[in-house]
Amino acid sequence: MVVDDSLTVRRVTQRLLERNGYEVLLAKDGVDALRQLQDTRPDIMLVDIEMPRMDGFDSRATFAAPALRATFRSS
């Protein structure tokens, strides 16, 4: 699952993962991801930190799943 408020980031990441054989779910923010998680459990989630409504930190606390955390920030 790719969780990001940027449509461009979601689509580019989706294409990259699908070309490598992955099934990809998309969510526009943490609230959208939580709604989808009621019906499915992805093997991995790529979550943006800075998003409206529910950011990546709040989302992560709510998902209650193991996490590998990496932060990338452009200047």
Side-chain angles (χ1 to χ4, degrees):
M1 177 179 278
V2 177
V3 186
D4 199 300
D5 57 320
S6 166
L7 177 59
T8 302
V9 170
R10 288 194 312 265
R11 293 295 184 193
V12 168
T13 307
Q14 177 185 30
R15 281 194 286 274
L16 175 75
L17 292 170
E18 286 178 345
R19 274 190 231 137
N20 286 281
Y22 295 95
E23 180 180 329
V24 181
L25 299 171
L26 302 175
K28 62 186 176 188
D29 58 31
V31 174
D32 187 26
L34 285 175
R35 181 187 56 75
Q36 292 185 51
L37 289 173
Q38 293 175 4
D39 301 322
T40 188
R41 288 285 178 233
D43 294 324
I44 190 169
M45 295 178 68
L46 303 175
V47 182
D48 184 18
I49 296 300
E50 296 179 8
M51 296 181 291
R53 297 199 304 167
M54 180 182 283
D55 68 25
F57 293 115
D58 292 338
S59 300
R60 168 60 192 99
T62 306
F63 297 154
L68 171 63
R69 186 165 132 193
T71 303
F72 302 93
R73 183 178 293 270
S74 60
S75 49

